[in-house]
Amino acid sequence: MLIRNAEIDFAWRADVRIEDGIIVEMGSGLASGRDAEIDARGGALLPGLHDHHFHLLAFAAARDSVRCGPPFVADAETLADALRSRASASPGGWIRGIGYHESVAGEIDRDWLDRVLPMGPARIQHRSGRLWILNSRALEIVAGGNTPLETVNGQLTGRLYDGDAWLRGRIGMVVPPIQDASLYLASRGVIGITDTTPGNRLREFALLGEARRAGDLLQNILLMGGPGLDGLPPAEGVRVGARKFHLHETALPDADELVADIRQSHAAGRPAAFHCVTLGELLFVLGALEEAGGIRGDRIEHAAVAPPDLLPWIARLGLTVVSQPNFIAERGDAYLSDVDPVDRPWLYRQRGFREAGIRLAAGTDAPFGDADPWAAMQAAVTRRTRAGAIIGAGEELTPEAALALFTGAPDDPGGPPRTITVGAPADLCLLDRPWAEARRGLSEVAVTVTIVAGRVIWP
Ligand SMILES: [Zn+2]
């Protein structure tokens, strides 16, 4: 393949020849061969993006679900219409709704759902993630034995609180359609993701490898998860990444146990990654790492609140921070009313980490955040909430630094950005405009071509 007239390194124009998945030649006026040619028309050719914090199966499931709450659905009638039209598209199949909120139709239950969806099984998740509402057909399938389903006067209401794992066990593994999710990512220049789901096991490893083989999954995957993934060799573009520790301030594990688990993970050749959204969680992890010792690749996911006095400690331990600048845009207005004013300047910091010598990378955390990395980069540049307020003045990044959040190597996020050079893998994305234009509004760029290992995955 030959890409003509591409802008390289934000600066100069060149033709780029790709053979066997590798960039083999760069320069002006390269001879045409029998290769397919793409005219870049001066658009910026960049390293393909890697989203360093993502939940692929949940993202695919969310794209396949009916959105049941604001801002997509505001009233009962619209919700009923959305559910009915999904049911008529897949008669008898499971209907899955997400994001329900009482402002739409009040405290709905099985009776409400039965009136709308009398035939096939349906389940709707509350926006909090803690409540499912099931219709009668769904209850017939999952009920039985000792259930956590809510009853009133001996009758099942269809409401299920904190019963996620139980419900999954009863319904069985439902594989969401990966192809549509993967194509969306390709359309935004994403050539790889790190799947940070703590519950990833052999099953997910096999499933994603299978999706790659079938051609449904186009990106490379670095798969975090539990100790069950130790020692698995890479297969079909899926590689095992860090061991993920999902901590919650309200239920922290025993500190000695955590230290032992970190050591075990390091001994297995895997870095450790920690979900830290509160100051308490961050302090707990730093203490544990101090004792266990860190290795390159250990990472803090989110580091949502990081006051200045902790930065030298994070730097000394050699940790990488994987942040979600998109949350500033998506949730910033809520932070401004909910987060203690003392903590607000230290929310999802960027420049503060970099200036303290801490490696910084980003991931969108989709489906919990918007999956568009360009919107995330834009938020990293502006630090603006949807309503236009600025969070963390002084934390803004240049557009080039924002891009670098997504162009570090998968196993060295926040390390040196990958570059377009002879000998490098042809994992690329091509923009519809030169960088000087793109940097003025990163969320507006269109990606015209995305390439993984020399193969065009978009369009
Ligand atoms: Zn996450």
Side-chain angles (χ1 to χ4, degrees):
M1 182 193 310
L2 188 57
I3 303 174
R4 291 218 181 266
N5 303 312
E7 184 193 56
I8 311 289
D9 294 339
F10 313 134
W12 53 292
R13 287 232 191 157
D15 302 341
V16 177
R17 193 188 309 280
I18 296 165
E19 273 170 21
D20 298 328
I22 303 284
I23 297 173
V24 293
E25 196 181 5
M26 289 169 68
S28 56
L30 296 190
S32 295
R34 281 170 305 172
D35 320 329
E37 289 196 15
I38 293 170
D39 187 355
R41 298 199 186 114
L45 184 64
L46 303 170
L49 308 181
H50 187 96
D51 190 317
H52 295 285
H53 188 119
F54 204 91
H55 304 278
L56 182 61
L57 294 174
F59 176 64
R63 282 179 72 85
D64 192 44
S65 300
V66 180
R67 296 176 190 270
C68 299
F72 308 98
V73 165
D75 58 72
E77 206 174 317
T78 320
L79 175 57
D81 285 348
L83 292 169
R84 285 195 190 105
S85 79
R86 178 60 64 100
S88 63
S90 57
W94 270 97
I95 304 287
R96 182 180 189 271
I98 54 170
Y100 182 73
H101 188 262
E102 293 76 17
S103 62
V104 175
E107 305 269 335
I108 60 172
D109 56 12
R110 72 186 288 186
D111 296 330
W112 189 93
L113 268 182
D114 284 349
R115 282 196 294 277
V116 178
L117 300 169
M119 306 298 281
R123 66 191 193 283
I124 286 181
Q125 190 181 39
H126 189 266
R127 187 164 79 178
S128 64
R130 295 194 46 194
L131 166 66
W132 283 98
I133 304 134
L134 291 78
N135 71 354
S136 292
R137 186 71 194 90
L139 289 170
E140 281 168 27
I141 294 171
V142 304
N146 226 340
T147 79
L149 290 160
E150 182 188 76
T151 55
V152 170
N153 302 328
Q155 294 291 318
L156 293 171
T157 63
R159 296 167 75 86
L160 169 67
Y161 289 93
D162 293 323
D164 236 15
W166 177 82
L167 189 60
R168 216 175 305 129
R170 300 296 291 192
I171 294 177
M173 177 87 173
V174 181
V175 180
I178 291 173
Q179 189 174 36
D180 162 73
S182 182
L183 258 182
Y184 168 76
L185 291 169
S187 78
R188 297 311 278 150
V190 176
I191 56 103
I193 61 171
T194 297
D195 191 299
T196 53
T197 311
N200 283 336
R201 309 196 152 76
L202 265 173
R203 189 177 66 175
E204 284 73 19
F205 184 86
L207 193 147
L208 294 175
E210 184 48 48
R212 279 278 301 214
R213 257 190 302 281
D216 291 341
L217 173 58
L218 307 166
Q219 284 78 17
N220 295 317
I221 309 286
L222 189 65
L223 192 73
M224 285 190 187
L229 297 176
D230 285 359
L232 280 180
E236 295 289 341
V238 184
R239 279 193 301 139
V240 172
R243 174 155 169 196
K244 177 78 183 284
F245 294 90
H246 200 87
L247 305 173
H248 272 297
E249 187 161 281
T250 51
L252 291 172
D254 178 73
D256 293 335
E257 243 170 68
L258 181 60
V259 169
D261 284 345
I262 295 169
R263 288 196 173 126
Q264 186 276 332
S265 172
H266 288 168
R270 296 175 65 191
F274 304 89
H275 167 101
C276 290
V277 292
T278 69
L279 190 52
E281 288 160 7
L282 182 57
L283 282 166
F284 185 76
V285 163
L286 294 178
L289 276 167
E290 186 71 50
E291 198 170 333
I295 64 169
R296 178 95 184 220
D298 286 341
R299 14 193 296 183
I300 305 287
E301 310 299 314
H302 317 300
V305 184
D309 49 328
L310 286 185
L311 301 194
W313 195 6
I314 298 174
R316 186 167 52 74
L317 289 169
L319 292 166
T320 298
V321 168
V322 178
S323 185
Q324 285 68 46
N326 47 312
F327 285 169
I328 293 291
E330 294 161 18
R331 304 179 180 182
D333 295 308
Y335 293 153
L336 287 175
S337 59
D338 303 347
V339 174
D340 191 329
V342 178
D343 291 335
R344 276 183 215 156
W346 321 126
L347 285 169
Y348 290 95
R349 304 183 67 178
Q350 296 162 179
R351 203 191 289 181
F353 287 127
R354 287 171 59 106
E355 284 175 356
I358 295 162
R359 282 186 296 277
L360 177 69
T364 59
D365 202 9
F368 309 106
D370 186 303
D372 183 0
W374 297 96
M377 287 178 221
Q378 176 75 4
V381 171
T382 66
R383 301 284 303 183
R384 272 190 198 280
T385 70
R386 287 238 162 88
I390 287 184
I391 291 185
E395 294 293 334
E396 303 89 350
L397 295 182
T398 62
E400 292 72 27
L403 175 67
L405 297 173
F406 289 93
T407 57
D411 47 9
D412 189 18
R418 291 173 291 119
T419 52
I420 297 182
T421 44
V422 171
D427 295 332
L428 308 165
C429 68
L430 177 64
L431 303 189
D432 64 339
R433 59 197 84 185
W435 184 253
E437 272 173 50
R439 75 190 300 284
R440 288 204 291 268
L442 292 174
S443 54
E444 276 130 51
V445 304
V447 173
T448 54
V449 182
T450 305
I451 297 172
V452 172
R455 203 167 71 83
V456 173
I457 63 164
W458 172 263

